Amino acid sequence: MGTRDLKTVTRETLAACGSRIDTSVAEGMEVMSPLTGTAVASLAPNGEADTRIAIENARTAFESWRMVPGPRRGELVRLFGEELRASKADLGRMVSIEAGKSPSEGEGEVQEMIDICDFAVGLSRQLYGLTIATERPGHRMMETWHPLGVVGIITAFNFPCAPWCWNAALALVCGDPVVWKPSEKTPLTALACQAVLDRALKRFGDDAPAHLSQVLVGGPEVGAALAENPKVALVSATGSTRMGRIVGPKVAERFGKCILELGGNNAGIVCPSADLDMTLRAVAFGAMGTAGQRCTTMRRLFVHEDVYEQILPALRKAYASVSVGDPLETDALVGPLIDAAAYESMTSALREASDLGGTVHGGERQKVGPKTAYYVKPALVEMPEHDGPVLRETFAPILYVMKYSDLEDALEKHNAVGGGLSSSIFTTDLREMEIFLSAKGSDCGIANVNIGTSGAEIGGAFGGEKETGGGRESGSDAWRAYMRRATNTINYSRDLPLAQGVVFDID
Ligand code: NAD
């Protein structure tokens, strides 16, 4: 597909979703596609004043939305899920154009949005608190959950829509308006999602206030304005640990609430009893899928010395034969890196690994499309030590492999990195599995057995510890972050007993 064609497809895809945004603004903010490394649109960015006004408008929307009954709010999200189903192929294509994912992965991301909408619809009738035994006679104690306020959502380029929806679907049923600052690399997918939500809002009727969901196009300065504004009750920020180190303190300074979903340095452990065929397939998807640009991408692999010589040749073969190409033109499994900077950080990490004695397989740039696009062969690096670039996240398809002989030792190294997002053990030994999942096992927010580190379902709480930021989104009880809790004690007696037996008689 040529450069001009991609521009046309972009425009047509946005229009199919219902967006009428001008994508050819003179001297606007250019949006690049990693498929070709060329611009597919030029948008008018939002400035500081736009951000302030959007937050004011969202705050006004909150005044009425919080009084709409939860199940009725759920009806809006149900309609949104219907519209998403109708636009799945278009939104999936938008993800492919902006983030370079294969159609299957692009549509998979939209499916995640549909799934969380379904989850949120059910949740809209289950926003319940506890009734708690009280020590005072004639009293009742309970907790009530109320809408929280405006939710500011900052998202990363590599998942241009699903993480927004994990937040937005829950926030909307919880009674909160949302203001979304997508990555400056993927604003078109955000505008397309907003257009799809607008269709649902139109069907929903008058009890949805204006400005319930807004998109702000721009760079870090827009994200910073959301983080600093005291009218934003919750900031949910997905991106690098570097970004979290800036956003987290800004929100904390004004005692705002924050969900941080930051970088990971995810690992797998292959034990002697592992099903090696299954392990190979799980590692291949976890490490090479989405061109290594998932927060949950497998970046380190500890292989027991007894099976090292069995699995490594198979892995080398998979790395040598994996298809790299334009995912909209071919059925390649590995698409492009997002940009030149990603390629540079990959080559510099590989150089560093090689200087430390690592043996690098793959990693070469591929001749696909124009010179402005960055397609690479995924790299498998056999490392003598758990050291150097292995200790940090490089957002590219590099898998560092290390041999181990003792599980305790492998676990210690597994946990000896900043990131704490996702982890896997491959074993059929009950003891090894339970140790990995125990208090002295993996220290990550996600710990899997016999599946890879990536590809989480929406039903579980998603997020990680340490430099991953500690936030949780999506399923389980993550909804509580979008509401405020009130503890209510009601006295229906004719006395006034004080808690803890305290006496304070005034006559
Ligand atoms: P990034 O940190 O460069 O940008 C993410 C978002 O933060 C963008 O919208 C950006 O404009 C904004 N931003 C950047 N600096 C900011 C600042 N100072 N103030 C306010 N906003 C700011 O990340 P990226 O390159 O887009 O994405 C890749 C990173 O995101 C990787 O580290 C990956 O692991 C992480 N990620 C984490 C998760 C998760 O759920 N844990 C999911 C996806 C991506």
Side-chain angles (χ1 to χ4, degrees):
M1 198 182 296
T3 304
R4 199 192 63 78
D5 286 336
L6 205 51
K7 269 189 179 167
T8 311
V9 174
T10 301
R11 220 173 28 244
E12 287 169 358
T13 306
L14 274 170
C17 292
S19 173
R20 285 193 287 276
I21 195 92
D22 182 358
T23 56
S24 47
V25 173
E27 291 176 37
M29 184 182 111
E30 286 208 318
V31 185
M32 315 295 283
S33 170
L35 300 176
T36 52
T38 54
V40 289
S42 173
L43 299 174
N46 293 114
E48 207 186 308
D50 297 327
T51 308
R52 206 178 43 251
I53 292 165
I55 295 167
E56 295 287 345
N57 287 338
R59 180 63 215 187
T60 305
F62 176 61
E63 308 289 328
S64 57
W65 188 240
R66 65 182 168 181
M67 298 313 292
V68 173
R72 175 75 184 134
R73 299 192 297 247
E75 171 61 7
L76 171 63
V77 175
R78 191 189 70 75
L79 293 172
F80 183 37
E82 277 187 5
E83 297 296 340
L84 284 171
R85 283 176 169 86
S87 289
K88 185 172 171 182
D90 291 319
L91 282 175
R93 192 176 320 109
M94 208 62 254
V95 171
S96 295
I97 292 171
E98 276 199 309
K101 294 189 188 186
S102 69
S104 164
E105 290 190 271
E107 288 189 25
E109 195 173 337
V110 184
Q111 185 59 46
E112 254 185 278
M113 300 171 77
I114 295 168
D115 293 344
I116 194 70
C117 282
D118 287 354
F119 180 94
V121 175
L123 178 68
S124 71
R125 290 179 184 270
Q126 299 173 75
L127 302 169
Y128 45 65
L130 301 171
T131 303
I132 301 150
T134 150
E135 65 193 53
R136 288 172 279 188
H139 283 57
R140 184 161 69 86
M141 185 159 52
M142 62 183 189
E143 54 185 28
T144 317
W145 291 87
H146 294 296
L148 181 68
V150 176
V151 176
I153 304 169
I154 299 171
T155 54
F157 81 84
N158 64 314
F159 272 89
C161 54
W164 166 71
C165 203
W166 298 346
N167 286 280
L170 296 197
L172 288 174
V173 300
C174 289
D176 306 328
V178 295
V179 181
W180 181 11
K181 206 296 283 177
S183 165
E184 53 276 34
K185 294 174 187 171
T186 56
L188 299 170
T189 308
L191 293 166
C193 287
Q194 180 64 45
V196 174
L197 178 54
D198 286 342
R199 289 181 353 223
L201 280 160
K202 208 165 160 190
R203 287 171 63 199
F204 181 70
D206 290 342
D207 46 350
H211 309 296
L212 203 46
S213 168
Q214 301 171 83
V215 174
L216 293 168
V217 171
E221 69 291 347
V222 178
L226 278 177
E228 283 160 10
N229 194 313
K231 288 192 174 148
V232 180
L234 169 68
V235 175
S236 179
T238 301
S240 58
T241 296
R242 184 201 58 77
M243 176 276 287
R245 283 194 210 284
I246 300 169
V247 167
K250 277 196 168 119
V251 181
E253 202 175 358
R254 60 176 178 83
F255 299 105
K257 285 186 164 190
C258 204
I259 297 175
L260 293 176
E261 295 284 351
L262 311 175
N265 189 354
N266 319 297
I269 299 180
V270 184
C271 300
S273 69
D275 175 329
L276 293 185
D277 182 51
M278 183 197 272
T279 302
L280 178 69
R281 284 184 285 130
V283 170
F285 173 65
M288 295 192 279
T290 327
Q293 299 170 115
R294 281 188 187 227
C295 51
T296 50
T297 291
M298 189 178 285
R299 308 197 180 279
R300 300 174 293 142
L301 190 67
F302 299 93
V303 181
H304 193 272
E305 58 190 6
D306 287 357
V307 286
Y308 193 90
E309 292 310 329
Q310 284 168 265
I311 197 157
L312 257 289
L315 260 179
R316 280 187 222 117
K317 197 169 152 211
Y319 269 73
S321 63
V322 73
S323 49
V324 180
D326 181 333
L328 284 190
E329 295 282 294
T330 65
D331 57 4
L333 291 176
V334 177
L337 293 178
I338 189 72
D339 54 22
Y343 175 66
E344 274 151 30
S345 73
M346 178 171 179
T347 47
S348 105
L350 290 179
R351 221 177 297 122
E352 195 183 335
S354 175
D355 289 347
L356 286 170
T359 307
V360 179
H361 310 274
E364 309 86 6
R365 192 166 169 195
Q366 305 293 290
K367 284 199 182 83
V368 179
K371 277 196 186 132
T372 41
Y374 289 86
Y375 289 82
V376 287
K377 202 90 178 160
L380 181 71
V381 186
E382 293 179 70
M383 288 297 284
E385 298 290 339
H386 186 252
D387 199 7
V390 185
L391 302 178
R392 62 171 195 265
E393 177 193 60
T394 299
F395 216 56
I398 305 176
L399 179 65
Y400 302 105
V401 189
M402 279 92 25
K403 204 183 273 186
Y404 82 90
S405 53
D406 172 57
L407 183 59
E408 299 268 327
D409 181 46
L411 261 173
E412 199 180 313
K413 289 188 173 119
H414 175 280
N415 291 345
V417 292
L421 182 53
S422 188
S423 57
S424 302
I425 192 165
F426 297 92
T427 181
T428 52
D429 180 317
L430 189 70
R431 291 194 184 107
E432 287 174 335
M433 178 187 94
E434 291 293 346
I435 287 170
F436 185 74
L437 300 180
S438 75
K440 65 173 186 177
S442 162
D443 64 0
C444 293
I446 299 168
N448 294 332
V449 179
N450 293 331
I451 61 167
T453 50
S454 66
E457 293 179 29
I458 61 93
F462 183 89
E465 304 300 332
K466 303 190 294 186
E467 290 178 8
T468 303
R472 291 295 186 280
E473 287 173 344
S474 197
S476 185
D477 63 352
W479 62 271
R480 289 169 190 243
Y482 304 83
M483 302 199 87
R484 67 180 171 84
R485 182 197 320 236
T487 301
N488 313 127
T489 308
I490 300 153
N491 179 4
Y492 59 91
S493 75
R494 294 182 189 280
D495 300 317
L496 191 66
L498 300 180
Q500 294 89 43
V502 172
V503 176
F504 195 86
D505 283 337
I506 53 170
D507 51 11

